[in-house]
Amino acid sequence: MPDPSRPIRTAAVIPAAGRGVRLGPGAPKALRTLGGTPMLVHAVRAMAASRAVSLVVVVAPPDGAPEVRTLLDEHSFGRTELLVVPGGETRQESVRRGLDALPDGIDVVLVHDAARPLVPVDTVDAVIATVRSGAPAVVPALPLADTVKQVEPRPRGEAEPVTGTPERALLRAVQTPQGFDRETLLKAHDTVVEGEGATDDAGLVERLGAPVVVVPGHEEAFKVTRPLDLVLAEAVLARRRATDGYV
Ligand code: CTP
Ligand code: MG
């Protein structure tokens, strides 16, 4: 039974163990810089910017945890506590390792991609508030600009037959941080087997049959995936530094 006299505590798990293959050769993606500062540092700051977040668990590349710890120690994140753990081969495994490091007393868990360094704090707070008001799983998302086609996949370069066009008004592109009631997220990770097709944490919760809701996401919460995304991220950062005093 939850103890009503104890304050709700929120932690963020940041999977940052990916290589960033689609970004091209170089350091692991989370350690590449934006405006001279590693993407991971921006992502940790984005979580620490929320007054509700008291702990951030960073999931580092499998052999890079000591290096990441040293890097983060060079920056200040206010009163937010930091833990660094090594990640795994897949995103799901990395998130699992982050969840395993959560101490007792955490009730709400955010999972946030290091590759979304510029998510605004209002989006983070909206996700947390919706979990705290009773939703077990909350996902920030935006309507799609492009029409989406379903196809019969063929080897690269071959023409692919179209099998359908889902109604665009019913589709949303989801972002992070995704927010969860801790018990629900742990159960989802314990129950759903890797490779069953869930590509995000909310997808695992859906497989449990638990309800997932969407709240408005933000354009600046885009994921840095390909080289062009770096150009956009640098531009957003430069504008923030010029207008908001963002560091
Ligand atoms: N991630 C992780 N552990 C993995 C794979 C991915 O922690 N084994 C993290 C990434 O570091 C990233 C987030 O999951 O912050 C989203 O993944 P993605 O954007 O796909 O990043 P990468 O896997 O690094 O990129 P790519 O797929 O292009 O290699
Ligand atoms: Mg990946």
PDB file of all heavy atoms in Angstrom, residues 102-137:
ATOM      1  N   LEU A 102      17.286   1.375  -9.751  1.00  0.00           N
ATOM      2  CA  LEU A 102      16.442   2.332  -9.007  1.00  0.00           C
ATOM      3  C   LEU A 102      16.348   1.951  -7.539  1.00  0.00           C
ATOM      4  O   LEU A 102      16.080   0.791  -7.214  1.00  0.00           O
ATOM      5  CB  LEU A 102      15.019   2.356  -9.600  1.00  0.00           C
ATOM      6  CG  LEU A 102      14.849   2.987 -10.972  1.00  0.00           C
ATOM      7  CD1 LEU A 102      13.401   2.800 -11.444  1.00  0.00           C
ATOM      8  CD2 LEU A 102      15.209   4.468 -10.939  1.00  0.00           C
ATOM      9  N   PRO A 103      16.545   2.893  -6.654  1.00  0.00           N
ATOM     10  CA  PRO A 103      16.399   2.589  -5.225  1.00  0.00           C
ATOM     11  C   PRO A 103      14.924   2.486  -4.832  1.00  0.00           C
ATOM     12  O   PRO A 103      14.042   2.881  -5.599  1.00  0.00           O
ATOM     13  CB  PRO A 103      17.045   3.810  -4.555  1.00  0.00           C
ATOM     14  CG  PRO A 103      16.908   4.922  -5.539  1.00  0.00           C
ATOM     15  CD  PRO A 103      16.923   4.289  -6.910  1.00  0.00           C
ATOM     16  N   ASP A 104      14.666   1.963  -3.630  1.00  0.00           N
ATOM     17  CA  ASP A 104      13.306   1.960  -3.091  1.00  0.00           C
ATOM     18  C   ASP A 104      12.830   3.396  -2.960  1.00  0.00           C
ATOM     19  O   ASP A 104      13.639   4.315  -2.863  1.00  0.00           O
ATOM     20  CB  ASP A 104      13.293   1.321  -1.694  1.00  0.00           C
ATOM     21  CG  ASP A 104      13.549  -0.176  -1.769  1.00  0.00           C
ATOM     22  OD1 ASP A 104      13.430  -0.745  -2.875  1.00  0.00           O
ATOM     23  OD2 ASP A 104      13.890  -0.755  -0.726  1.00  0.00           O
ATOM     24  N   GLY A 105      11.534   3.561  -2.941  1.00  0.00           N
ATOM     25  CA  GLY A 105      10.986   4.890  -2.669  1.00  0.00           C
ATOM     26  C   GLY A 105      10.708   5.701  -3.916  1.00  0.00           C
ATOM     27  O   GLY A 105      10.180   6.804  -3.829  1.00  0.00           O
ATOM     28  N   ILE A 106      11.068   5.177  -5.086  1.00  0.00           N
ATOM     29  CA  ILE A 106      10.726   5.851  -6.354  1.00  0.00           C
ATOM     30  C   ILE A 106       9.356   5.323  -6.798  1.00  0.00           C
ATOM     31  O   ILE A 106       9.146   4.111  -6.876  1.00  0.00           O
ATOM     32  CB  ILE A 106      11.777   5.548  -7.447  1.00  0.00           C
ATOM     33  CG1 ILE A 106      13.155   6.089  -7.058  1.00  0.00           C
ATOM     34  CG2 ILE A 106      11.334   6.088  -8.808  1.00  0.00           C
ATOM     35  CD1 ILE A 106      13.265   7.595  -7.033  1.00  0.00           C
ATOM     36  N   ASP A 107       8.438   6.252  -7.091  1.00  0.00           N
ATOM     37  CA  ASP A 107       7.077   5.842  -7.466  1.00  0.00           C
ATOM     38  C   ASP A 107       6.796   6.052  -8.948  1.00  0.00           C
ATOM     39  O   ASP A 107       6.012   5.343  -9.556  1.00  0.00           O
ATOM     40  CB  ASP A 107       6.044   6.686  -6.707  1.00  0.00           C
ATOM     41  CG  ASP A 107       6.401   6.818  -5.252  1.00  0.00           C
ATOM     42  OD1 ASP A 107       6.057   5.913  -4.495  1.00  0.00           O
ATOM     43  OD2 ASP A 107       7.057   7.822  -4.891  1.00  0.00           O
ATOM     44  N   VAL A 108       7.428   7.092  -9.519  1.00  0.00           N
ATOM     45  CA  VAL A 108       7.183   7.445 -10.918  1.00  0.00           C
ATOM     46  C   VAL A 108       8.513   7.364 -11.656  1.00  0.00           C
ATOM     47  O   VAL A 108       9.533   7.858 -11.163  1.00  0.00           O
ATOM     48  CB  VAL A 108       6.598   8.874 -11.040  1.00  0.00           C
ATOM     49  CG1 VAL A 108       6.490   9.307 -12.496  1.00  0.00           C
ATOM     50  CG2 VAL A 108       5.224   8.949 -10.359  1.00  0.00           C
ATOM     51  N   VAL A 109       8.512   6.703 -12.823  1.00  0.00           N
ATOM     52  CA  VAL A 109       9.743   6.555 -13.601  1.00  0.00           C
ATOM     53  C   VAL A 109       9.541   7.134 -14.998  1.00  0.00           C
ATOM     54  O   VAL A 109       8.577   6.788 -15.688  1.00  0.00           O
ATOM     55  CB  VAL A 109      10.161   5.069 -13.719  1.00  0.00           C
ATOM     56  CG1 VAL A 109      11.448   4.943 -14.532  1.00  0.00           C
ATOM     57  CG2 VAL A 109      10.345   4.447 -12.344  1.00  0.00           C
ATOM     58  N   LEU A 110      10.455   8.007 -15.385  1.00  0.00           N
ATOM     59  CA  LEU A 110      10.504   8.479 -16.769  1.00  0.00           C
ATOM     60  C   LEU A 110      11.580   7.683 -17.487  1.00  0.00           C
ATOM     61  O   LEU A 110      12.614   7.367 -16.888  1.00  0.00           O
ATOM     62  CB  LEU A 110      10.900   9.951 -16.833  1.00  0.00           C
ATOM     63  CG  LEU A 110      10.064  10.967 -16.073  1.00  0.00           C
ATOM     64  CD1 LEU A 110      10.661  12.368 -16.270  1.00  0.00           C
ATOM     65  CD2 LEU A 110       8.617  10.942 -16.542  1.00  0.00           C
ATOM     66  N   VAL A 111      11.353   7.377 -18.745  1.00  0.00           N
ATOM     67  CA  VAL A 111      12.416   6.811 -19.582  1.00  0.00           C
ATOM     68  C   VAL A 111      12.629   7.796 -20.720  1.00  0.00           C
ATOM     69  O   VAL A 111      11.677   8.119 -21.453  1.00  0.00           O
ATOM     70  CB  VAL A 111      12.055   5.416 -20.129  1.00  0.00           C
ATOM     71  CG1 VAL A 111      13.208   4.879 -20.965  1.00  0.00           C
ATOM     72  CG2 VAL A 111      11.720   4.459 -18.983  1.00  0.00           C
ATOM     73  N   HIS A 112      13.856   8.304 -20.825  1.00  0.00           N
ATOM     74  CA  HIS A 112      14.126   9.365 -21.794  1.00  0.00           C
ATOM     75  C   HIS A 112      15.376   9.066 -22.612  1.00  0.00           C
ATOM     76  O   HIS A 112      16.458   8.851 -22.059  1.00  0.00           O
ATOM     77  CB  HIS A 112      14.305  10.703 -21.068  1.00  0.00           C
ATOM     78  CG  HIS A 112      14.581  11.838 -22.009  1.00  0.00           C
ATOM     79  ND1 HIS A 112      13.686  12.223 -22.987  1.00  0.00           N
ATOM     80  CD2 HIS A 112      15.667  12.647 -22.160  1.00  0.00           C
ATOM     81  CE1 HIS A 112      14.194  13.224 -23.677  1.00  0.00           C
ATOM     82  NE2 HIS A 112      15.401  13.496 -23.209  1.00  0.00           N
ATOM     83  N   ASP A 113      15.238   9.097 -23.941  1.00  0.00           N
ATOM     84  CA  ASP A 113      16.380   8.863 -24.830  1.00  0.00           C
ATOM     85  C   ASP A 113      17.424   9.972 -24.692  1.00  0.00           C
ATOM     86  O   ASP A 113      17.093  11.158 -24.827  1.00  0.00           O
ATOM     87  CB  ASP A 113      15.923   8.890 -26.298  1.00  0.00           C
ATOM     88  CG  ASP A 113      15.016   7.736 -26.649  1.00  0.00           C
ATOM     89  OD1 ASP A 113      15.171   6.653 -26.069  1.00  0.00           O
ATOM     90  OD2 ASP A 113      14.139   7.940 -27.534  1.00  0.00           O
ATOM     91  N   ALA A 114      18.683   9.568 -24.506  1.00  0.00           N
ATOM     92  CA  ALA A 114      19.772  10.556 -24.550  1.00  0.00           C
ATOM     93  C   ALA A 114      19.777  11.269 -25.892  1.00  0.00           C
ATOM     94  O   ALA A 114      20.242  12.407 -26.007  1.00  0.00           O
ATOM     95  CB  ALA A 114      21.117   9.864 -24.323  1.00  0.00           C
ATOM     96  N   ALA A 115      19.242  10.601 -26.908  1.00  0.00           N
ATOM     97  CA  ALA A 115      19.234  11.147 -28.260  1.00  0.00           C
ATOM     98  C   ALA A 115      18.151  12.215 -28.468  1.00  0.00           C
ATOM     99  O   ALA A 115      17.968  12.705 -29.580  1.00  0.00           O
ATOM    100  CB  ALA A 115      19.050  10.010 -29.267  1.00  0.00           C
ATOM    101  N   ARG A 116      17.424  12.580 -27.393  1.00  0.00           N
ATOM    102  CA  ARG A 116      16.452  13.694 -27.458  1.00  0.00           C
ATOM    103  C   ARG A 116      16.914  14.763 -26.459  1.00  0.00           C
ATOM    104  O   ARG A 116      16.284  14.992 -25.430  1.00  0.00           O
ATOM    105  CB  ARG A 116      15.044  13.211 -27.115  1.00  0.00           C
ATOM    106  CG  ARG A 116      14.524  12.158 -28.077  1.00  0.00           C
ATOM    107  CD  ARG A 116      13.107  11.729 -27.716  1.00  0.00           C
ATOM    108  NE  ARG A 116      12.704  10.576 -28.477  1.00  0.00           N
ATOM    109  CZ  ARG A 116      12.094  10.626 -29.672  1.00  0.00           C
ATOM    110  NH1 ARG A 116      11.811  11.804 -30.209  1.00  0.00           N
ATOM    111  NH2 ARG A 116      11.775   9.520 -30.303  1.00  0.00           N
ATOM    112  N   PRO A 117      18.032  15.429 -26.783  1.00  0.00           N
ATOM    113  CA  PRO A 117      18.683  16.295 -25.791  1.00  0.00           C
ATOM    114  C   PRO A 117      17.940  17.587 -25.502  1.00  0.00           C
ATOM    115  O   PRO A 117      18.215  18.232 -24.502  1.00  0.00           O
ATOM    116  CB  PRO A 117      20.041  16.599 -26.444  1.00  0.00           C
ATOM    117  CG  PRO A 117      19.797  16.457 -27.914  1.00  0.00           C
ATOM    118  CD  PRO A 117      18.805  15.349 -28.047  1.00  0.00           C
ATOM    119  N   LEU A 118      17.005  17.983 -26.371  1.00  0.00           N
ATOM    120  CA  LEU A 118      16.451  19.338 -26.271  1.00  0.00           C
ATOM    121  C   LEU A 118      14.987  19.369 -25.847  1.00  0.00           C
ATOM    122  O   LEU A 118      14.317  20.390 -26.020  1.00  0.00           O
ATOM    123  CB  LEU A 118      16.649  20.072 -27.611  1.00  0.00           C
ATOM    124  CG  LEU A 118      18.130  20.227 -28.031  1.00  0.00           C
ATOM    125  CD1 LEU A 118      18.222  20.888 -29.408  1.00  0.00           C
ATOM    126  CD2 LEU A 118      18.920  21.030 -26.997  1.00  0.00           C
ATOM    127  N   VAL A 119      14.484  18.282 -25.275  1.00  0.00           N
ATOM    128  CA  VAL A 119      13.078  18.282 -24.840  1.00  0.00           C
ATOM    129  C   VAL A 119      12.853  19.400 -23.811  1.00  0.00           C
ATOM    130  O   VAL A 119      13.600  19.521 -22.841  1.00  0.00           O
ATOM    131  CB  VAL A 119      12.669  16.904 -24.279  1.00  0.00           C
ATOM    132  CG1 VAL A 119      13.500  16.491 -23.080  1.00  0.00           C
ATOM    133  CG2 VAL A 119      11.183  16.918 -23.897  1.00  0.00           C
ATOM    134  N   PRO A 120      11.837  20.239 -24.007  1.00  0.00           N
ATOM    135  CA  PRO A 120      11.582  21.320 -23.045  1.00  0.00           C
ATOM    136  C   PRO A 120      11.026  20.798 -21.715  1.00  0.00           C
ATOM    137  O   PRO A 120      10.335  19.779 -21.682  1.00  0.00           O
ATOM    138  CB  PRO A 120      10.521  22.177 -23.757  1.00  0.00           C
ATOM    139  CG  PRO A 120      10.575  21.783 -25.189  1.00  0.00           C
ATOM    140  CD  PRO A 120      10.983  20.341 -25.206  1.00  0.00           C
ATOM    141  N   VAL A 121      11.317  21.517 -20.642  1.00  0.00           N
ATOM    142  CA  VAL A 121      10.905  21.068 -19.308  1.00  0.00           C
ATOM    143  C   VAL A 121       9.378  21.012 -19.185  1.00  0.00           C
ATOM    144  O   VAL A 121       8.849  20.178 -18.442  1.00  0.00           O
ATOM    145  CB  VAL A 121      11.538  21.946 -18.206  1.00  0.00           C
ATOM    146  CG1 VAL A 121      10.977  23.368 -18.229  1.00  0.00           C
ATOM    147  CG2 VAL A 121      11.345  21.312 -16.830  1.00  0.00           C
ATOM    148  N   ASP A 122       8.664  21.845 -19.921  1.00  0.00           N
ATOM    149  CA  ASP A 122       7.190  21.800 -19.832  1.00  0.00           C
ATOM    150  C   ASP A 122       6.648  20.457 -20.294  1.00  0.00           C
ATOM    151  O   ASP A 122       5.642  19.971 -19.764  1.00  0.00           O
ATOM    152  CB  ASP A 122       6.565  22.913 -20.688  1.00  0.00           C
ATOM    153  CG  ASP A 122       6.790  24.290 -20.072  1.00  0.00           C
ATOM    154  OD1 ASP A 122       7.301  24.361 -18.935  1.00  0.00           O
ATOM    155  OD2 ASP A 122       6.464  25.291 -20.739  1.00  0.00           O
ATOM    156  N   THR A 123       7.291  19.855 -21.284  1.00  0.00           N
ATOM    157  CA  THR A 123       6.867  18.537 -21.757  1.00  0.00           C
ATOM    158  C   THR A 123       7.141  17.490 -20.679  1.00  0.00           C
ATOM    159  O   THR A 123       6.307  16.628 -20.394  1.00  0.00           O
ATOM    160  CB  THR A 123       7.611  18.178 -23.067  1.00  0.00           C
ATOM    161  OG1 THR A 123       7.426  19.244 -23.992  1.00  0.00           O
ATOM    162  CG2 THR A 123       7.114  16.878 -23.657  1.00  0.00           C
ATOM    163  N   VAL A 124       8.318  17.576 -20.059  1.00  0.00           N
ATOM    164  CA  VAL A 124       8.683  16.649 -18.980  1.00  0.00           C
ATOM    165  C   VAL A 124       7.664  16.760 -17.844  1.00  0.00           C
ATOM    166  O   VAL A 124       7.128  15.752 -17.357  1.00  0.00           O
ATOM    167  CB  VAL A 124      10.107  16.965 -18.447  1.00  0.00           C
ATOM    168  CG1 VAL A 124      10.503  15.998 -17.345  1.00  0.00           C
ATOM    169  CG2 VAL A 124      11.128  16.959 -19.585  1.00  0.00           C
ATOM    170  N   ASP A 125       7.358  17.984 -17.455  1.00  0.00           N
ATOM    171  CA  ASP A 125       6.428  18.201 -16.337  1.00  0.00           C
ATOM    172  C   ASP A 125       5.015  17.727 -16.676  1.00  0.00           C
ATOM    173  O   ASP A 125       4.309  17.207 -15.801  1.00  0.00           O
ATOM    174  CB  ASP A 125       6.410  19.689 -15.952  1.00  0.00           C
ATOM    175  CG  ASP A 125       7.647  20.073 -15.139  1.00  0.00           C
ATOM    176  OD1 ASP A 125       8.257  19.173 -14.515  1.00  0.00           O
ATOM    177  OD2 ASP A 125       7.998  21.261 -15.123  1.00  0.00           O
ATOM    178  N   ALA A 126       4.603  17.896 -17.930  1.00  0.00           N
ATOM    179  CA  ALA A 126       3.257  17.458 -18.320  1.00  0.00           C
ATOM    180  C   ALA A 126       3.137  15.939 -18.220  1.00  0.00           C
ATOM    181  O   ALA A 126       2.117  15.400 -17.767  1.00  0.00           O
ATOM    182  CB  ALA A 126       2.943  17.933 -19.739  1.00  0.00           C
ATOM    183  N   VAL A 127       4.196  15.231 -18.617  1.00  0.00           N
ATOM    184  CA  VAL A 127       4.189  13.759 -18.532  1.00  0.00           C
ATOM    185  C   VAL A 127       4.106  13.333 -17.067  1.00  0.00           C
ATOM    186  O   VAL A 127       3.280  12.493 -16.685  1.00  0.00           O
ATOM    187  CB  VAL A 127       5.451  13.171 -19.216  1.00  0.00           C
ATOM    188  CG1 VAL A 127       5.592  11.684 -18.919  1.00  0.00           C
ATOM    189  CG2 VAL A 127       5.397  13.416 -20.725  1.00  0.00           C
ATOM    190  N   ILE A 128       4.944  13.942 -16.230  1.00  0.00           N
ATOM    191  CA  ILE A 128       4.963  13.582 -14.807  1.00  0.00           C
ATOM    192  C   ILE A 128       3.589  13.856 -14.180  1.00  0.00           C
ATOM    193  O   ILE A 128       3.047  13.013 -13.445  1.00  0.00           O
ATOM    194  CB  ILE A 128       6.058  14.373 -14.058  1.00  0.00           C
ATOM    195  CG1 ILE A 128       7.443  13.980 -14.576  1.00  0.00           C
ATOM    196  CG2 ILE A 128       5.958  14.146 -12.546  1.00  0.00           C
ATOM    197  CD1 ILE A 128       8.573  14.880 -14.068  1.00  0.00           C
ATOM    198  N   ALA A 129       3.024  15.019 -14.472  1.00  0.00           N
ATOM    199  CA  ALA A 129       1.739  15.390 -13.853  1.00  0.00           C
ATOM    200  C   ALA A 129       0.644  14.391 -14.237  1.00  0.00           C
ATOM    201  O   ALA A 129      -0.198  14.036 -13.408  1.00  0.00           O
ATOM    202  CB  ALA A 129       1.345  16.798 -14.288  1.00  0.00           C
ATOM    203  N   THR A 130       0.688  13.910 -15.466  1.00  0.00           N
ATOM    204  CA  THR A 130      -0.366  12.984 -15.910  1.00  0.00           C
ATOM    205  C   THR A 130      -0.202  11.624 -15.234  1.00  0.00           C
ATOM    206  O   THR A 130      -1.189  10.974 -14.876  1.00  0.00           O
ATOM    207  CB  THR A 130      -0.360  12.878 -17.456  1.00  0.00           C
ATOM    208  OG1 THR A 130      -0.426  14.194 -17.998  1.00  0.00           O
ATOM    209  CG2 THR A 130      -1.536  12.075 -17.967  1.00  0.00           C
ATOM    210  N   VAL A 131       1.044  11.177 -15.017  1.00  0.00           N
ATOM    211  CA  VAL A 131       1.249   9.924 -14.267  1.00  0.00           C
ATOM    212  C   VAL A 131       0.785  10.117 -12.824  1.00  0.00           C
ATOM    213  O   VAL A 131       0.063   9.283 -12.277  1.00  0.00           O
ATOM    214  CB  VAL A 131       2.729   9.475 -14.285  1.00  0.00           C
ATOM    215  CG1 VAL A 131       2.898   8.185 -13.482  1.00  0.00           C
ATOM    216  CG2 VAL A 131       3.236   9.275 -15.705  1.00  0.00           C
ATOM    217  N   ARG A 132       1.156  11.247 -12.239  1.00  0.00           N
ATOM    218  CA  ARG A 132       0.792  11.488 -10.836  1.00  0.00           C
ATOM    219  C   ARG A 132      -0.712  11.594 -10.650  1.00  0.00           C
ATOM    220  O   ARG A 132      -1.220  11.324  -9.569  1.00  0.00           O
ATOM    221  CB  ARG A 132       1.483  12.749 -10.319  1.00  0.00           C
ATOM    222  CG  ARG A 132       2.971  12.527 -10.093  1.00  0.00           C
ATOM    223  CD  ARG A 132       3.614  13.735  -9.461  1.00  0.00           C
ATOM    224  NE  ARG A 132       4.974  13.446  -9.033  1.00  0.00           N
ATOM    225  CZ  ARG A 132       5.708  14.274  -8.299  1.00  0.00           C
ATOM    226  NH1 ARG A 132       5.224  15.445  -7.930  1.00  0.00           N
ATOM    227  NH2 ARG A 132       6.926  13.943  -7.950  1.00  0.00           N
ATOM    228  N   SER A 133      -1.408  11.982 -11.703  1.00  0.00           N
ATOM    229  CA  SER A 133      -2.861  12.073 -11.549  1.00  0.00           C
ATOM    230  C   SER A 133      -3.536  10.725 -11.823  1.00  0.00           C
ATOM    231  O   SER A 133      -4.762  10.650 -11.883  1.00  0.00           O
ATOM    232  CB  SER A 133      -3.430  13.180 -12.438  1.00  0.00           C
ATOM    233  OG  SER A 133      -3.248  12.821 -13.782  1.00  0.00           O
ATOM    234  N   GLY A 134      -2.736   9.657 -11.996  1.00  0.00           N
ATOM    235  CA  GLY A 134      -3.328   8.319 -12.007  1.00  0.00           C
ATOM    236  C   GLY A 134      -3.156   7.500 -13.276  1.00  0.00           C
ATOM    237  O   GLY A 134      -3.550   6.330 -13.302  1.00  0.00           O
ATOM    238  N   ALA A 135      -2.570   8.052 -14.347  1.00  0.00           N
ATOM    239  CA  ALA A 135      -2.370   7.258 -15.564  1.00  0.00           C
ATOM    240  C   ALA A 135      -1.131   6.372 -15.382  1.00  0.00           C
ATOM    241  O   ALA A 135      -0.067   6.879 -15.034  1.00  0.00           O
ATOM    242  CB  ALA A 135      -2.181   8.174 -16.768  1.00  0.00           C
ATOM    243  N   PRO A 136      -1.221   5.052 -15.606  1.00  0.00           N
ATOM    244  CA  PRO A 136      -0.048   4.196 -15.404  1.00  0.00           C
ATOM    245  C   PRO A 136       1.046   4.370 -16.457  1.00  0.00           C
ATOM    246  O   PRO A 136       2.203   4.058 -16.195  1.00  0.00           O
ATOM    247  CB  PRO A 136      -0.615   2.780 -15.457  1.00  0.00           C
ATOM    248  CG  PRO A 136      -1.955   2.884 -16.068  1.00  0.00           C
ATOM    249  CD  PRO A 136      -2.445   4.291 -15.897  1.00  0.00           C
ATOM    250  N   ALA A 137       0.685   4.884 -17.631  1.00  0.00           N
ATOM    251  CA  ALA A 137       1.687   5.052 -18.699  1.00  0.00           C
ATOM    252  C   ALA A 137       1.306   6.246 -19.564  1.00  0.00           C
ATOM    253  O   ALA A 137       0.171   6.342 -20.031  1.00  0.00           O
ATOM    254  CB  ALA A 137       1.770   3.790 -19.548  1.00  0.00           C
TER     255      ALA A 137
END
